[in-house]
Amino acid sequence: MSTTLIDSSVASQHSAEVRSGERFEFGENWRAYLRTLDDTKIEEAVASLRRMLRVDSLEGRRFLDIGSGSGLFSLAAHRLGASVTSFDYDPSSVGCTQELRARFADGTDRWAVMHGSALDPAFLASLGTYDIVYSWGVLHHTGRMWEAIRNVLPSVAHEGQLFIAIYNDQGVWSRRWDAIKRAYRANAASRVLVGGVVIAYWAGRSALSDLVRLRAPWHSLANYKRNRGMNAWHDWLDWLGGYPCEVAKPEAIIFEVQGHGFALTNLNTQYGTMGCVEYVFRRTGRVVG
């Protein structure tokens, strides 16, 4: 397996942000998630790419995974036939992606893993352009979301696709959730207290929803992996701890990206909930203002 170099200056900045409490250690959460990974979750990730990109195969396509996290969706794109470039700002996430490449695609020449930042235009420019640029639930955690969105747009080739997911702006409820996140991050005791209350609330709400729908309690949690191959526990920890964090209304994202020569081709909203809205755009060169 080839070795991925960790950029010491980027790693130092990341470590400083973690120590100061400005940044959640996403990579450590992903490392724990990988212990739960199985073939069914990988198949669900592959299916979600097919569904949102409206393709059966990515054979011959170039795929850029910005903020690769666990590496699951880089693996999914690789299995669909794409030549994949993955990068993440968190060194532990880079390590997770390397681990998946070693476990499922050792020796491949179609998957490169790198360390870098979506806030570094020079780094992004050095990677060239791609048929598919993918960044799910990442750009809103950079601390400068709109800058990050604008930075990644030039990475999309003409007629290429941009697939991003951004937290939905719920107005007052988003501000309340921001306060909960801040309380959770205050200290170890608050993480136990706030985390216990919020996770119990989520679990209880999920069980109640199942009962209302005449399903067995915990049906939704037992089948959570159908949600892009994810795991409820690690998603909850990611959401509670995930900082910095910004939100946006769908129309704000759509108008911004269309203003740079893209057309919206697929959309998955969250019906007013706190989750991520998924957007797929195609680069047309025609500016819609």
PDB file of all heavy atoms in Angstrom, residues 218-243:
ATOM      1  N   TRP A 218     -37.809   0.485  17.855  1.00  0.00           N
ATOM      2  CA  TRP A 218     -36.404   0.359  17.463  1.00  0.00           C
ATOM      3  C   TRP A 218     -36.235  -0.181  16.046  1.00  0.00           C
ATOM      4  O   TRP A 218     -35.124  -0.458  15.620  1.00  0.00           O
ATOM      5  CB  TRP A 218     -35.594  -0.510  18.451  1.00  0.00           C
ATOM      6  CG  TRP A 218     -35.927  -0.246  19.881  1.00  0.00           C
ATOM      7  CD1 TRP A 218     -36.396  -1.129  20.789  1.00  0.00           C
ATOM      8  CD2 TRP A 218     -35.822   1.014  20.568  1.00  0.00           C
ATOM      9  NE1 TRP A 218     -36.605  -0.513  21.999  1.00  0.00           N
ATOM     10  CE2 TRP A 218     -36.251   0.809  21.903  1.00  0.00           C
ATOM     11  CE3 TRP A 218     -35.419   2.300  20.188  1.00  0.00           C
ATOM     12  CZ2 TRP A 218     -36.289   1.825  22.844  1.00  0.00           C
ATOM     13  CZ3 TRP A 218     -35.449   3.321  21.131  1.00  0.00           C
ATOM     14  CH2 TRP A 218     -35.885   3.069  22.434  1.00  0.00           C
ATOM     15  N   HIS A 219     -37.349  -0.317  15.301  1.00  0.00           N
ATOM     16  CA  HIS A 219     -37.225  -0.750  13.908  1.00  0.00           C
ATOM     17  C   HIS A 219     -36.322   0.211  13.122  1.00  0.00           C
ATOM     18  O   HIS A 219     -35.458  -0.221  12.366  1.00  0.00           O
ATOM     19  CB  HIS A 219     -38.618  -0.800  13.253  1.00  0.00           C
ATOM     20  CG  HIS A 219     -38.586  -1.026  11.771  1.00  0.00           C
ATOM     21  ND1 HIS A 219     -38.554  -2.283  11.210  1.00  0.00           N
ATOM     22  CD2 HIS A 219     -38.572  -0.141  10.723  1.00  0.00           C
ATOM     23  CE1 HIS A 219     -38.515  -2.174   9.906  1.00  0.00           C
ATOM     24  NE2 HIS A 219     -38.536  -0.882   9.574  1.00  0.00           N
ATOM     25  N   SER A 220     -36.551   1.524  13.316  1.00  0.00           N
ATOM     26  CA  SER A 220     -35.775   2.521  12.569  1.00  0.00           C
ATOM     27  C   SER A 220     -34.296   2.443  12.914  1.00  0.00           C
ATOM     28  O   SER A 220     -33.430   2.519  12.029  1.00  0.00           O
ATOM     29  CB  SER A 220     -36.302   3.924  12.856  1.00  0.00           C
ATOM     30  OG  SER A 220     -37.627   4.051  12.415  1.00  0.00           O
ATOM     31  N   LEU A 221     -33.982   2.278  14.214  1.00  0.00           N
ATOM     32  CA  LEU A 221     -32.580   2.206  14.614  1.00  0.00           C
ATOM     33  C   LEU A 221     -31.931   0.923  14.122  1.00  0.00           C
ATOM     34  O   LEU A 221     -30.771   0.922  13.699  1.00  0.00           O
ATOM     35  CB  LEU A 221     -32.457   2.319  16.136  1.00  0.00           C
ATOM     36  CG  LEU A 221     -32.857   3.672  16.736  1.00  0.00           C
ATOM     37  CD1 LEU A 221     -32.669   3.662  18.242  1.00  0.00           C
ATOM     38  CD2 LEU A 221     -32.048   4.801  16.099  1.00  0.00           C
ATOM     39  N   ALA A 222     -32.682  -0.185  14.164  1.00  0.00           N
ATOM     40  CA  ALA A 222     -32.135  -1.458  13.705  1.00  0.00           C
ATOM     41  C   ALA A 222     -31.828  -1.437  12.212  1.00  0.00           C
ATOM     42  O   ALA A 222     -30.944  -2.159  11.736  1.00  0.00           O
ATOM     43  CB  ALA A 222     -33.106  -2.585  14.022  1.00  0.00           C
ATOM     44  N   ASN A 223     -32.553  -0.586  11.485  1.00  0.00           N
ATOM     45  CA  ASN A 223     -32.355  -0.502  10.039  1.00  0.00           C
ATOM     46  C   ASN A 223     -31.679   0.797   9.614  1.00  0.00           C
ATOM     47  O   ASN A 223     -31.761   1.194   8.450  1.00  0.00           O
ATOM     48  CB  ASN A 223     -33.709  -0.642   9.335  1.00  0.00           C
ATOM     49  CG  ASN A 223     -34.283  -2.029   9.470  1.00  0.00           C
ATOM     50  OD1 ASN A 223     -33.931  -2.931   8.712  1.00  0.00           O
ATOM     51  ND2 ASN A 223     -35.163  -2.221  10.439  1.00  0.00           N
ATOM     52  N   TYR A 224     -31.013   1.442  10.540  1.00  0.00           N
ATOM     53  CA  TYR A 224     -30.413   2.753  10.264  1.00  0.00           C
ATOM     54  C   TYR A 224     -29.365   2.672   9.162  1.00  0.00           C
ATOM     55  O   TYR A 224     -29.127   3.642   8.445  1.00  0.00           O
ATOM     56  CB  TYR A 224     -29.782   3.309  11.542  1.00  0.00           C
ATOM     57  CG  TYR A 224     -29.398   4.771  11.464  1.00  0.00           C
ATOM     58  CD1 TYR A 224     -30.316   5.763  11.766  1.00  0.00           C
ATOM     59  CD2 TYR A 224     -28.109   5.158  11.086  1.00  0.00           C
ATOM     60  CE1 TYR A 224     -29.971   7.105  11.700  1.00  0.00           C
ATOM     61  CE2 TYR A 224     -27.757   6.495  11.017  1.00  0.00           C
ATOM     62  CZ  TYR A 224     -28.692   7.468  11.323  1.00  0.00           C
ATOM     63  OH  TYR A 224     -28.342   8.793  11.253  1.00  0.00           O
ATOM     64  N   LYS A 225     -28.712   1.506   9.018  1.00  0.00           N
ATOM     65  CA  LYS A 225     -27.672   1.380   8.009  1.00  0.00           C
ATOM     66  C   LYS A 225     -28.213   1.589   6.595  1.00  0.00           C
ATOM     67  O   LYS A 225     -27.437   1.804   5.658  1.00  0.00           O
ATOM     68  CB  LYS A 225     -26.979   0.027   8.113  1.00  0.00           C
ATOM     69  CG  LYS A 225     -27.870  -1.177   7.930  1.00  0.00           C
ATOM     70  CD  LYS A 225     -27.108  -2.447   8.248  1.00  0.00           C
ATOM     71  CE  LYS A 225     -28.006  -3.673   8.231  1.00  0.00           C
ATOM     72  NZ  LYS A 225     -27.260  -4.884   8.645  1.00  0.00           N
ATOM     73  N   ARG A 226     -29.549   1.532   6.443  1.00  0.00           N
ATOM     74  CA  ARG A 226     -30.123   1.831   5.128  1.00  0.00           C
ATOM     75  C   ARG A 226     -29.980   3.311   4.796  1.00  0.00           C
ATOM     76  O   ARG A 226     -30.238   3.714   3.659  1.00  0.00           O
ATOM     77  CB  ARG A 226     -31.592   1.415   5.094  1.00  0.00           C
ATOM     78  CG  ARG A 226     -31.784  -0.102   5.180  1.00  0.00           C
ATOM     79  CD  ARG A 226     -33.240  -0.495   5.138  1.00  0.00           C
ATOM     80  NE  ARG A 226     -33.406  -1.935   5.233  1.00  0.00           N
ATOM     81  CZ  ARG A 226     -34.568  -2.557   5.352  1.00  0.00           C
ATOM     82  NH1 ARG A 226     -35.687  -1.848   5.398  1.00  0.00           N
ATOM     83  NH2 ARG A 226     -34.622  -3.871   5.430  1.00  0.00           N
ATOM     84  N   ASN A 227     -29.629   4.102   5.781  1.00  0.00           N
ATOM     85  CA  ASN A 227     -29.368   5.527   5.580  1.00  0.00           C
ATOM     86  C   ASN A 227     -27.909   5.699   5.156  1.00  0.00           C
ATOM     87  O   ASN A 227     -27.046   6.008   5.938  1.00  0.00           O
ATOM     88  CB  ASN A 227     -29.653   6.306   6.874  1.00  0.00           C
ATOM     89  CG  ASN A 227     -29.329   7.775   6.746  1.00  0.00           C
ATOM     90  OD1 ASN A 227     -29.345   8.330   5.650  1.00  0.00           O
ATOM     91  ND2 ASN A 227     -29.013   8.407   7.861  1.00  0.00           N
ATOM     92  N   ARG A 228     -27.638   5.429   3.876  1.00  0.00           N
ATOM     93  CA  ARG A 228     -26.297   5.592   3.293  1.00  0.00           C
ATOM     94  C   ARG A 228     -25.247   4.685   3.940  1.00  0.00           C
ATOM     95  O   ARG A 228     -24.062   4.973   3.864  1.00  0.00           O
ATOM     96  CB  ARG A 228     -25.841   7.060   3.390  1.00  0.00           C
ATOM     97  CG  ARG A 228     -26.796   8.063   2.777  1.00  0.00           C
ATOM     98  CD  ARG A 228     -26.385   9.500   3.016  1.00  0.00           C
ATOM     99  NE  ARG A 228     -25.037   9.769   2.563  1.00  0.00           N
ATOM    100  CZ  ARG A 228     -24.011   9.976   3.378  1.00  0.00           C
ATOM    101  NH1 ARG A 228     -24.153   9.924   4.693  1.00  0.00           N
ATOM    102  NH2 ARG A 228     -22.814  10.213   2.895  1.00  0.00           N
ATOM    103  N   GLY A 229     -25.666   3.631   4.626  1.00  0.00           N
ATOM    104  CA  GLY A 229     -24.703   2.745   5.260  1.00  0.00           C
ATOM    105  C   GLY A 229     -24.164   3.272   6.572  1.00  0.00           C
ATOM    106  O   GLY A 229     -23.149   2.780   7.080  1.00  0.00           O
ATOM    107  N   MET A 230     -24.833   4.241   7.148  1.00  0.00           N
ATOM    108  CA  MET A 230     -24.348   4.872   8.369  1.00  0.00           C
ATOM    109  C   MET A 230     -24.748   4.081   9.618  1.00  0.00           C
ATOM    110  O   MET A 230     -25.453   3.091   9.565  1.00  0.00           O
ATOM    111  CB  MET A 230     -24.867   6.306   8.462  1.00  0.00           C
ATOM    112  CG  MET A 230     -24.304   7.238   7.390  1.00  0.00           C
ATOM    113  SD  MET A 230     -22.533   7.558   7.585  1.00  0.00           S
ATOM    114  CE  MET A 230     -21.860   6.475   6.330  1.00  0.00           C
ATOM    115  N   ASN A 231     -24.284   4.570  10.768  1.00  0.00           N
ATOM    116  CA  ASN A 231     -24.557   3.973  12.076  1.00  0.00           C
ATOM    117  C   ASN A 231     -25.126   5.064  12.969  1.00  0.00           C
ATOM    118  O   ASN A 231     -24.533   6.144  13.089  1.00  0.00           O
ATOM    119  CB  ASN A 231     -23.257   3.394  12.646  1.00  0.00           C
ATOM    120  CG  ASN A 231     -23.388   2.915  14.069  1.00  0.00           C
ATOM    121  OD1 ASN A 231     -23.349   3.713  14.998  1.00  0.00           O
ATOM    122  ND2 ASN A 231     -23.526   1.607  14.250  1.00  0.00           N
ATOM    123  N   ALA A 232     -26.280   4.811  13.601  1.00  0.00           N
ATOM    124  CA  ALA A 232     -26.973   5.858  14.361  1.00  0.00           C
ATOM    125  C   ALA A 232     -26.099   6.428  15.468  1.00  0.00           C
ATOM    126  O   ALA A 232     -26.008   7.652  15.641  1.00  0.00           O
ATOM    127  CB  ALA A 232     -28.271   5.309  14.940  1.00  0.00           C
ATOM    128  N   TRP A 233     -25.446   5.572  16.253  1.00  0.00           N
ATOM    129  CA  TRP A 233     -24.647   6.044  17.389  1.00  0.00           C
ATOM    130  C   TRP A 233     -23.554   7.009  16.938  1.00  0.00           C
ATOM    131  O   TRP A 233     -23.391   8.092  17.503  1.00  0.00           O
ATOM    132  CB  TRP A 233     -24.055   4.852  18.125  1.00  0.00           C
ATOM    133  CG  TRP A 233     -23.118   5.238  19.230  1.00  0.00           C
ATOM    134  CD1 TRP A 233     -21.750   5.168  19.219  1.00  0.00           C
ATOM    135  CD2 TRP A 233     -23.468   5.770  20.521  1.00  0.00           C
ATOM    136  NE1 TRP A 233     -21.231   5.616  20.407  1.00  0.00           N
ATOM    137  CE2 TRP A 233     -22.258   5.986  21.219  1.00  0.00           C
ATOM    138  CE3 TRP A 233     -24.691   6.080  21.133  1.00  0.00           C
ATOM    139  CZ2 TRP A 233     -22.237   6.500  22.518  1.00  0.00           C
ATOM    140  CZ3 TRP A 233     -24.659   6.588  22.420  1.00  0.00           C
ATOM    141  CH2 TRP A 233     -23.454   6.800  23.096  1.00  0.00           C
ATOM    142  N   HIS A 234     -22.812   6.637  15.904  1.00  0.00           N
ATOM    143  CA  HIS A 234     -21.708   7.488  15.457  1.00  0.00           C
ATOM    144  C   HIS A 234     -22.212   8.741  14.753  1.00  0.00           C
ATOM    145  O   HIS A 234     -21.575   9.799  14.839  1.00  0.00           O
ATOM    146  CB  HIS A 234     -20.754   6.676  14.566  1.00  0.00           C
ATOM    147  CG  HIS A 234     -20.091   5.553  15.303  1.00  0.00           C
ATOM    148  ND1 HIS A 234     -20.496   4.260  15.187  1.00  0.00           N
ATOM    149  CD2 HIS A 234     -19.083   5.559  16.222  1.00  0.00           C
ATOM    150  CE1 HIS A 234     -19.756   3.498  15.983  1.00  0.00           C
ATOM    151  NE2 HIS A 234     -18.899   4.267  16.620  1.00  0.00           N
ATOM    152  N   ASP A 235     -23.361   8.647  14.076  1.00  0.00           N
ATOM    153  CA  ASP A 235     -23.958   9.855  13.506  1.00  0.00           C
ATOM    154  C   ASP A 235     -24.384  10.816  14.605  1.00  0.00           C
ATOM    155  O   ASP A 235     -24.213  12.040  14.486  1.00  0.00           O
ATOM    156  CB  ASP A 235     -25.174   9.500  12.649  1.00  0.00           C
ATOM    157  CG  ASP A 235     -24.813   9.294  11.189  1.00  0.00           C
ATOM    158  OD1 ASP A 235     -23.617   9.326  10.860  1.00  0.00           O
ATOM    159  OD2 ASP A 235     -25.732   9.106  10.375  1.00  0.00           O
ATOM    160  N   TRP A 236     -24.955  10.294  15.692  1.00  0.00           N
ATOM    161  CA  TRP A 236     -25.371  11.145  16.801  1.00  0.00           C
ATOM    162  C   TRP A 236     -24.172  11.844  17.440  1.00  0.00           C
ATOM    163  O   TRP A 236     -24.227  13.032  17.746  1.00  0.00           O
ATOM    164  CB  TRP A 236     -26.124  10.319  17.844  1.00  0.00           C
ATOM    165  CG  TRP A 236     -27.490   9.885  17.402  1.00  0.00           C
ATOM    166  CD1 TRP A 236     -28.206  10.363  16.332  1.00  0.00           C
ATOM    167  CD2 TRP A 236     -28.296   8.875  18.000  1.00  0.00           C
ATOM    168  NE1 TRP A 236     -29.411   9.715  16.242  1.00  0.00           N
ATOM    169  CE2 TRP A 236     -29.509   8.801  17.239  1.00  0.00           C
ATOM    170  CE3 TRP A 236     -28.146   8.034  19.097  1.00  0.00           C
ATOM    171  CZ2 TRP A 236     -30.529   7.918  17.558  1.00  0.00           C
ATOM    172  CZ3 TRP A 236     -29.175   7.151  19.410  1.00  0.00           C
ATOM    173  CH2 TRP A 236     -30.347   7.090  18.658  1.00  0.00           C
ATOM    174  N   LEU A 237     -23.105  11.102  17.667  1.00  0.00           N
ATOM    175  CA  LEU A 237     -21.907  11.712  18.251  1.00  0.00           C
ATOM    176  C   LEU A 237     -21.330  12.767  17.320  1.00  0.00           C
ATOM    177  O   LEU A 237     -20.890  13.837  17.762  1.00  0.00           O
ATOM    178  CB  LEU A 237     -20.857  10.635  18.547  1.00  0.00           C
ATOM    179  CG  LEU A 237     -21.174   9.654  19.675  1.00  0.00           C
ATOM    180  CD1 LEU A 237     -20.014   8.678  19.853  1.00  0.00           C
ATOM    181  CD2 LEU A 237     -21.462  10.383  20.987  1.00  0.00           C
ATOM    182  N   ASP A 238     -21.342  12.461  16.029  1.00  0.00           N
ATOM    183  CA  ASP A 238     -20.851  13.413  15.033  1.00  0.00           C
ATOM    184  C   ASP A 238     -21.680  14.686  15.080  1.00  0.00           C
ATOM    185  O   ASP A 238     -21.141  15.802  15.054  1.00  0.00           O
ATOM    186  CB  ASP A 238     -20.938  12.755  13.652  1.00  0.00           C
ATOM    187  CG  ASP A 238     -20.431  13.644  12.534  1.00  0.00           C
ATOM    188  OD1 ASP A 238     -21.092  14.658  12.212  1.00  0.00           O
ATOM    189  OD2 ASP A 238     -19.388  13.317  11.959  1.00  0.00           O
ATOM    190  N   TRP A 239     -22.998  14.532  15.162  1.00  0.00           N
ATOM    191  CA  TRP A 239     -23.855  15.709  15.176  1.00  0.00           C
ATOM    192  C   TRP A 239     -23.667  16.519  16.453  1.00  0.00           C
ATOM    193  O   TRP A 239     -23.540  17.749  16.404  1.00  0.00           O
ATOM    194  CB  TRP A 239     -25.334  15.308  15.036  1.00  0.00           C
ATOM    195  CG  TRP A 239     -26.173  16.529  14.837  1.00  0.00           C
ATOM    196  CD1 TRP A 239     -26.494  17.121  13.655  1.00  0.00           C
ATOM    197  CD2 TRP A 239     -26.725  17.346  15.857  1.00  0.00           C
ATOM    198  NE1 TRP A 239     -27.226  18.257  13.879  1.00  0.00           N
ATOM    199  CE2 TRP A 239     -27.386  18.428  15.230  1.00  0.00           C
ATOM    200  CE3 TRP A 239     -26.740  17.278  17.247  1.00  0.00           C
ATOM    201  CZ2 TRP A 239     -28.038  19.415  15.936  1.00  0.00           C
ATOM    202  CZ3 TRP A 239     -27.391  18.269  17.947  1.00  0.00           C
ATOM    203  CH2 TRP A 239     -28.038  19.320  17.300  1.00  0.00           C
ATOM    204  N   LEU A 240     -23.643  15.867  17.605  1.00  0.00           N
ATOM    205  CA  LEU A 240     -23.508  16.585  18.873  1.00  0.00           C
ATOM    206  C   LEU A 240     -22.167  17.304  18.973  1.00  0.00           C
ATOM    207  O   LEU A 240     -22.086  18.459  19.380  1.00  0.00           O
ATOM    208  CB  LEU A 240     -23.656  15.612  20.046  1.00  0.00           C
ATOM    209  CG  LEU A 240     -25.062  15.373  20.580  1.00  0.00           C
ATOM    210  CD1 LEU A 240     -25.039  14.240  21.595  1.00  0.00           C
ATOM    211  CD2 LEU A 240     -25.621  16.645  21.216  1.00  0.00           C
ATOM    212  N   GLY A 241     -21.099  16.605  18.628  1.00  0.00           N
ATOM    213  CA  GLY A 241     -19.764  17.179  18.795  1.00  0.00           C
ATOM    214  C   GLY A 241     -19.311  18.026  17.634  1.00  0.00           C
ATOM    215  O   GLY A 241     -18.399  18.840  17.769  1.00  0.00           O
ATOM    216  N   GLY A 242     -19.947  17.812  16.464  1.00  0.00           N
ATOM    217  CA  GLY A 242     -19.446  18.409  15.233  1.00  0.00           C
ATOM    218  C   GLY A 242     -19.389  19.918  15.235  1.00  0.00           C
ATOM    219  O   GLY A 242     -20.414  20.585  15.100  1.00  0.00           O
ATOM    220  N   TYR A 243     -18.196  20.436  15.385  1.00  0.00           N
ATOM    221  CA  TYR A 243     -17.983  21.878  15.391  1.00  0.00           C
ATOM    222  C   TYR A 243     -16.645  22.176  14.736  1.00  0.00           C
ATOM    223  O   TYR A 243     -15.728  21.359  14.846  1.00  0.00           O
ATOM    224  CB  TYR A 243     -18.002  22.414  16.834  1.00  0.00           C
ATOM    225  CG  TYR A 243     -18.909  23.609  17.006  1.00  0.00           C
ATOM    226  CD1 TYR A 243     -20.287  23.450  17.070  1.00  0.00           C
ATOM    227  CD2 TYR A 243     -18.390  24.893  17.056  1.00  0.00           C
ATOM    228  CE1 TYR A 243     -21.135  24.541  17.201  1.00  0.00           C
ATOM    229  CE2 TYR A 243     -19.220  25.990  17.186  1.00  0.00           C
ATOM    230  CZ  TYR A 243     -20.591  25.815  17.262  1.00  0.00           C
ATOM    231  OH  TYR A 243     -21.422  26.890  17.380  1.00  0.00           O
TER     232      TYR A 243
END
